[in-house]
Amino acid sequence: MIDIKAVIMAGGKGTRLRPLTCGIPKPMVPIFDKPVMEYTIKLLKKNGIESIGVTVAYLPQVIMDYFSDGADYGVKLHYFIEDAPLGTGGSVRNTGDFLEDTFIVMSGDALTDLNLHEALEFHKNKKSKATLVLKREAVPIEYGVIITDDDGSIIRFLEKPSWGEVFSDTVNTGIYILEPEVLEYYEPGVNFDFSKDLFPKLLRDKVPIYGYITEDYWCDIGDLSSYRQVHFDILDRKAKVDLDAVESPQGIWLSSGVNISSSVRLASPAYIGRDVAIEDNALVDSYSVISQNCRIGSKSRVKRSVVWKSVDIGENCGISGGVICSGSSIKNNVKIFENSVTGENSIILENCIIKPDVRIWPGKKIYENTIVNHNIIWGTKATKNIFGSRGVSGILNQEISPEFCSSLGSAFAAAIGKNATLVVGSDNSTQSYIAKSSFAAGVLSLGGQTILLDNSIAPMSRFGVNYHRANGGVHIHTSKAKPYKTYIEFFDENGINIGRSKERGVENLLNQDDYDRCKAEDVKTIMRMENFQEIFIRQGVNLIQNIDEIRRRNYKIILASQSESASTIAYKYLQNLGCSVSLVWGDADNIKEPGIYKHMARLILRKKADLGVIIHENGENLMLIDKTGRVIKDEEYLLLAELIAIKGYNAENLVFPHAFPRAAEKIAEFNGARIFRTSSSTAEIMRKMVELQSPSVQFVLNHNSIWTLGYLLEYMNRENIGVAELMDEIPEYYYLKKEISCDWKDKGRIIREIAFGSNLEDIELIEGVKINDSRGWALLLPDGEKPLFNIYTEGYTEEMARELSADLSEKIAELLKNQRG
């Protein structure tokens, strides 16, 4: 027996596991007929630890009734109830005098076969005050990432980072070995977390704190996918877990009292619990877990599914990739598909079809011949991570269904707050209209107010939030380029994109799928702004001071856009400025191709135009073509915008992401301004711009193509200069961008090995891995939405930029090849 104590944190609600956890706390979710917490108790007992504290909060009596004093497991359990939320650290601090010496903290809702002896030996040898057990995780963004040096000493914490902040693939398992004095940083009864509060304080105070990287099995059962996966891992013997069953030579685990017809087909690996009955010609296919006291009727098929105890499945049913909770009754000819969950004590009557991803809450009854394609509570299905780099996107009636949009509207309204007023803008496409109407319905169902903007572009919807003093808003637009993807962008009360923390809040509400709907009499009337384009245009015109002089100049503009809304608004705006506008309707797939540039360049020369403008579909971004035919886009345009903001509008503070060329600093330094660097997150860039300069000219020049045209023409008129001459003031720079494909599972490893596996000295770990050397710099940034890396390089010469890009690309290719080998 090891003379130390352990604490199991068992207060979790398991919100993301609903409906599995509607009636039980998360530590009581069954794995092969036993609560997941039981495996933790048995692991502690196996390692000689018998005095165990258990912190409980949500439905504590369920846990205490099941485990009692622990005598049945050969341990002594001491329960500590949280009357108010105390956080992970606060709950352990709540154990009072129970902890007097070195102790272990474990989670009651994760499964592991960790060798505690080895972890404790590491802790003692390092003379550590706090040792965190770490695990390499292929996709680490849903966990706290911990960075250690070669000695194991922790040097940095990152709590649920974005891909740009992933500098390692070692994640925090929530298993800690601690000395009791570290808890004295906080008084009893204070709410604090280990990872967010205590451990960073220990690091700042230079208290010895280490990370022990284990190769043993560990799985955080945080969502339905990981819940099913932990069963498959045990069947594959990836986790050393004892099952109360006997394994046959064919890889089938059979418990006592099973009654299986001779015509039944069993495919390995699979688990059949105690007293299960399986009738004629049924099939239990691979990776199926059938818990105790279940019945499977004749000709039914179960595959890659987890069936809890006392479930009755009728004849000729098909269960594929689902979870069916205890006490449920599945009648004849029912089909249940992938990733669906049937809550406890539910009844599914004959000939029903439960579509993929559907969750049915406990105690529900589904009547005959019903096709269920949305959750049976309120709302509809939701995925764990729905937000990309700029909001939510997908194809209408696939990822972006009306049901999903309605639930998304409810989730966003709930995240903003009760009785929220939200602006909902969209372009004029049918797809966007469907998404907008459904989204607005979800907001209204919570008692919120919606203000609809038709034929809108993103800058107009942003302006609408401020104009109406709304609590937030969204803009919806559909790309004309195949496959007609619809985008939903979310704004806060300032009209800027919401940050990742707010996105996570919306995702969590979607996963809970449970909203406080308002009464019918409290549903508000939709407000529809018919003439808001004119208000938006008038506001943009009012920003220009020398409007009469601009009108007298009668600038000739060639204008193009794929978006009819953007084209219409820009055309009207430029006419208000006295411009002569020739409108080129961009043909769906060619707007970004060289063909449109050449076509517009020819028009500019033929019509002796002053400027060509191409506005992107969202109405935010634009490209310019000067009178010589030169295309100004991407970094070049942003540098031009910087120059105009400083010289034309006295901007003193400007914002650029870390991956942007250093030419920005050169322009700022020469003109007496200052550059602030941020992450590449659109929300963070916008927030910083507004924080440093309100109203921010740079914000308009970067995110409002319509009003940008006014600022640009005003500056050109005032200085009597053209865009071609302005571009001559941009310093030379040598900047390259490149993409390298990389499987999701390799991303964290590659980042870690680039950052810490070489002798490179001048490395910055702010966003991605930035390598500085005598030739310039290279930045490796994992893409947040695609299985690839983005490589950015800037050299003092073009050749040096290419060398930096090639060197980093070759290094990544070598690391990927070594893994495959």
Side-chain angles (χ1 to χ4, degrees):
M1 177 178 174
I2 302 176
D3 190 22
I4 67 169
K5 295 177 180 178
V7 176
I8 297 175
M9 295 183 292
K13 291 184 178 180
T15 300
R16 286 188 292 149
L17 280 173
R18 290 181 180 175
L20 303 187
T21 52
C22 285
I24 57 174
K26 190 178 176 185
M28 295 301 293
V29 170
I31 307 289
F32 290 93
D33 273 329
K34 294 183 182 354
V36 60
M37 181 174 148
E38 184 169 327
Y39 294 95
T40 302
I41 293 173
K42 288 181 175 179
L43 178 69
L44 292 168
K45 169 63 177 176
K46 180 181 177 181
N47 283 270
I49 300 171
E50 297 180 357
S51 184
I52 303 169
V54 182
T55 65
V56 290
Y58 176 64
L59 301 176
Q61 201 62 44
V62 176
I63 295 173
M64 292 188 291
D65 287 348
Y66 183 90
F67 292 107
S68 188
D69 61 1
D72 291 346
Y73 306 94
V75 299
K76 177 62 177 176
L77 298 181
H78 309 262
Y79 295 99
F80 302 92
I81 300 175
E82 290 180 55
D83 295 322
L86 294 174
T88 55
S91 67
V92 175
R93 186 74 170 98
N94 192 45
T95 59
D97 297 333
F98 177 70
L99 302 171
E100 300 171 344
D101 205 342
T102 306
F103 64 95
I104 295 175
V105 176
M106 300 189 72
S107 173
D109 49 32
L111 189 126
T112 183
D113 58 14
L114 174 68
N115 187 318
L116 295 177
H117 284 278
E118 292 181 0
L120 280 163
E121 195 65 27
F122 175 91
H123 178 80
K124 291 176 182 177
N125 289 341
K126 298 294 183 182
K127 297 180 180 177
S128 175
K129 294 298 182 183
T131 297
L132 285 65
V133 176
L134 311 180
K135 178 75 176 174
R136 299 204 188 283
E137 189 72 25
V139 182
I141 61 171
E142 283 304 309
Y143 305 93
V145 172
I146 312 294
I147 301 173
T148 61
D149 63 15
D150 293 339
D151 187 44
S153 182
I154 291 174
I155 57 178
R156 192 167 177 184
F157 293 92
L158 293 164
E159 186 67 22
K160 293 189 177 179
S162 67
W163 270 113
E165 299 169 310
V166 171
F167 308 124
S168 178
D169 57 355
T170 47
V171 305
N172 182 2
T173 65
I175 303 171
Y176 312 128
I177 303 172
L178 305 175
E179 299 302 321
E181 58 262 34
V182 301
L183 295 180
E184 294 173 8
Y185 271 72
Y186 292 90
E187 294 296 324
V190 173
N191 185 321
F192 72 96
D193 282 329
F194 283 121
S195 57
K196 292 181 183 177
D197 303 310
L198 177 60
F199 295 149
K201 282 189 176 184
L202 297 179
L203 190 62
R204 287 194 296 270
D205 291 352
K206 300 188 181 341
V207 174
I209 177 169
Y210 285 82
Y212 171 75
I213 302 175
T214 180
E215 298 296 327
D216 298 326
Y217 183 83
W218 170 82
C219 181
D220 172 36
I221 305 170
D223 57 22
L224 293 167
S225 174
S226 59
Y227 174 72
R228 290 174 59 239
Q229 187 61 47
V230 76
H231 289 84
F232 303 158
D233 289 344
I234 292 171
L235 289 173
D236 281 335
R237 301 182 182 85
K238 293 179 180 178
K240 301 181 184 70
V241 170
D242 294 328
L243 300 178
D244 290 338
V246 177
E247 184 183 10
S248 72
Q250 292 77 32
I252 308 296
W253 296 84
L254 295 174
S255 300
S256 61
V258 297
N259 182 8
I260 302 175
S261 168
S262 59
S263 60
V264 168
R265 290 175 294 157
L266 304 175
S268 66
Y271 169 88
I272 313 296
R274 177 169 49 85
D275 298 326
V276 167
I278 307 178
E279 298 178 356
D280 295 343
N281 298 307
L283 167 65
V284 177
D285 213 335
S286 55
Y287 296 100
S288 293
V289 175
I290 314 298
S291 300
Q292 62 186 6
N293 297 314
C294 289
R295 180 187 78 91
I296 300 177
S298 62
K299 300 180 182 178
S300 287
R301 302 165 304 286
V302 180
K303 181 179 182 179
R304 296 186 72 87
S305 297
V306 178
V307 181
W308 289 14
K309 65 181 182 180
S310 303
V311 169
D312 188 276
I313 298 174
E315 298 179 2
N316 198 35
C317 293
I319 318 294
S320 180
V323 177
I324 303 177
C325 297
S326 300
S328 293
S329 178
I330 313 299
K331 301 303 182 182
N332 299 338
N333 304 307
V334 169
K335 302 295 182 286
I336 296 178
F337 290 100
E338 291 80 4
N339 303 319
S340 62
V341 180
T342 303
E344 291 186 277
N345 301 310
S346 292
I347 301 173
I348 315 294
L349 296 180
E350 285 82 358
N351 303 308
C352 287
I353 297 175
I354 312 299
K355 289 292 193 74
D357 301 306
V358 166
R359 303 182 195 181
I360 298 173
W361 255 242
K364 297 295 182 288
K365 186 174 185 178
I366 311 300
Y367 289 92
E368 294 92 340
N369 304 304
T370 300
I371 297 176
V372 182
N373 53 25
H374 62 276
N375 295 351
I376 304 300
I377 174 175
W378 8 75
T380 186
K381 56 181 178 287
T383 56
K384 184 179 178 182
N385 296 307
I386 62 166
F387 281 86
S389 60
R390 297 207 39 170
V392 177
S393 63
I395 299 172
L396 187 78
N397 290 332
Q398 294 183 28
E399 300 93 345
I400 304 291
S401 68
E403 296 85 2
F404 172 78
C405 290
S406 175
S407 190
L408 188 59
S410 296
F412 188 47
I416 293 295
K418 191 173 182 180
N419 299 321
T421 297
L422 298 177
V423 169
V424 185
S426 76
D427 62 18
N428 63 350
S429 72
T430 304
Q431 296 98 312
S432 297
Y433 176 81
I434 293 171
K436 176 176 67 176
S437 302
S438 302
F439 189 96
V443 176
L444 292 170
S445 71
L446 264 67
Q449 175 72 67
T450 57
I451 302 172
L452 301 190
L453 307 181
D454 297 326
N455 299 325
S456 182
I457 55 176
M460 188 172 120
S461 297
R462 293 182 193 282
F463 171 67
V465 172
N466 288 296
Y467 182 85
H468 292 287
R469 298 181 181 177
N471 303 109
V474 297
H475 179 72
I476 303 169
H477 82 273
T478 298
S479 172
K480 288 188 177 180
K482 295 178 181 179
Y484 300 99
K485 205 169 187 179
T486 296
Y487 297 83
I488 307 175
E489 214 162 335
F490 294 74
F491 311 140
D492 67 11
E493 70 278 8
N494 297 311
I496 65 176
N497 287 40
I498 64 173
R500 186 63 187 123
S501 61
K502 182 66 75 174
E503 289 176 348
R504 287 186 185 277
V506 174
E507 287 172 342
N508 288 337
L509 285 163
L510 270 173
N511 282 300
Q512 291 174 30
D513 208 8
D514 189 2
Y515 312 108
D516 293 328
R517 306 289 180 181
C518 68
K519 297 177 182 177
E521 58 267 27
D522 293 331
V523 175
K524 295 180 175 63
T525 303
I526 292 176
M527 293 176 60
R528 191 180 297 275
M529 300 297 295
E530 301 289 352
N531 65 335
F532 201 71
Q533 276 191 10
E534 283 68 30
I535 296 173
F536 175 67
I537 291 168
R538 185 171 65 247
Q539 178 66 24
V541 171
N542 290 340
L543 294 172
I544 308 305
Q545 295 180 358
N546 303 315
I547 188 96
D548 291 335
E549 290 183 22
I550 295 172
R551 285 170 176 164
R552 282 195 292 270
R553 288 292 292 262
N554 187 224
Y555 284 103
K556 294 180 180 179
I557 309 292
I558 309 296
L559 174 66
S561 179
Q562 281 183 308
S563 165
E564 184 179 344
S565 298
S567 296
T568 301
I569 296 169
Y571 187 86
K572 291 179 180 177
Y573 180 72
L574 289 169
Q575 281 194 322
N576 271 268
L577 297 181
C579 299
S580 296
V581 185
S582 297
L583 191 57
V584 178
W585 291 100
D587 193 7
D589 297 325
N590 294 326
I591 198 71
K592 293 184 180 179
E593 298 299 323
I596 190 67
Y597 304 147
K598 293 177 182 178
H599 177 62
M600 290 189 69
R602 286 193 296 268
L603 280 176
I604 290 169
L605 292 172
R606 190 171 77 239
K607 291 177 176 285
K608 296 182 180 179
D610 297 286
L611 188 64
V613 178
I614 301 175
I615 298 178
H616 290 196
E617 287 180 325
N618 62 6
E620 283 196 357
N621 312 114
L622 51 73
M623 294 178 281
L624 303 175
I625 303 175
D626 68 19
K627 61 186 179 183
T628 69
R630 176 179 178 177
V631 179
I632 302 154
K633 60 179 181 175
D634 302 333
E635 290 76 29
E636 275 194 326
Y637 169 75
L638 294 176
L639 290 169
L640 175 66
E642 176 192 6
L643 191 66
I644 293 171
I646 296 172
K647 297 187 69 174
Y649 299 94
N650 302 314
E652 297 178 350
N653 302 310
L654 296 108
V655 180
F656 289 96
H658 295 292
F660 197 79
R662 289 174 177 167
E665 274 83 1
K666 292 180 182 178
I667 293 173
E669 185 178 351
F670 185 79
N671 291 282
R674 185 180 178 189
I675 298 298
F676 291 82
R677 296 283 183 167
T678 74
S679 74
S680 56
S681 158
T682 302
E684 178 60 21
I685 292 170
M686 289 180 173
R687 185 197 64 78
K688 194 68 174 177
M689 284 180 181
V690 172
E691 173 189 310
L692 291 172
Q693 190 182 73
S694 183
S696 171
V697 174
Q698 190 193 20
F699 185 96
V700 171
L701 293 172
N702 285 22
H703 300 290
N704 187 332
S705 64
I706 309 301
W707 293 1
T708 287
L709 295 174
Y711 280 133
L712 176 61
L713 295 176
E714 181 179 42
Y715 183 72
M716 289 168 57
N717 177 70
R718 185 195 309 153
E719 301 297 325
N720 193 25
I721 194 172
V723 170
E725 292 79 15
L726 273 171
M727 289 305 299
D728 291 338
E729 298 185 41
I730 304 295
E732 269 194 318
Y733 63 97
Y734 306 98
Y735 179 76
L736 296 174
K737 293 186 286 189
K738 183 179 181 179
E739 294 180 351
I740 294 184
S741 296
C742 175
D743 196 288
W744 286 103
K745 64 181 177 60
D746 291 323
K747 275 189 176 181
R749 176 181 65 85
I750 296 296
I751 282 285
R752 170 175 51 82
E753 294 188 9
I754 292 288
F756 303 104
S758 64
N759 295 321
L760 297 170
E761 294 182 1
D762 198 355
I763 286 183
E764 297 176 23
L765 299 179
I766 300 173
E767 183 184 32
V769 179
K770 190 173 187 179
I771 304 165
N772 299 292
D773 75 7
S774 59
R775 296 169 294 176
W777 58 268
L779 175 66
L780 178 66
L781 187 61
D783 194 281
E785 298 184 55
K786 303 172 186 175
L788 57 84
F789 284 112
N790 296 294
I791 294 179
Y792 305 89
T793 55
E794 185 179 16
Y796 295 112
T797 66
E798 185 175 357
E799 183 181 5
M800 288 179 178
R802 294 189 185 281
E803 286 178 1
L804 285 164
S805 182
D807 288 351
L808 187 51
S809 300
E810 289 172 9
K811 180 65 175 176
I812 294 169
E814 180 184 343
L815 292 171
L816 289 170
K817 182 179 178 181
N818 289 344
Q819 176 69 7
R820 286 192 291 268

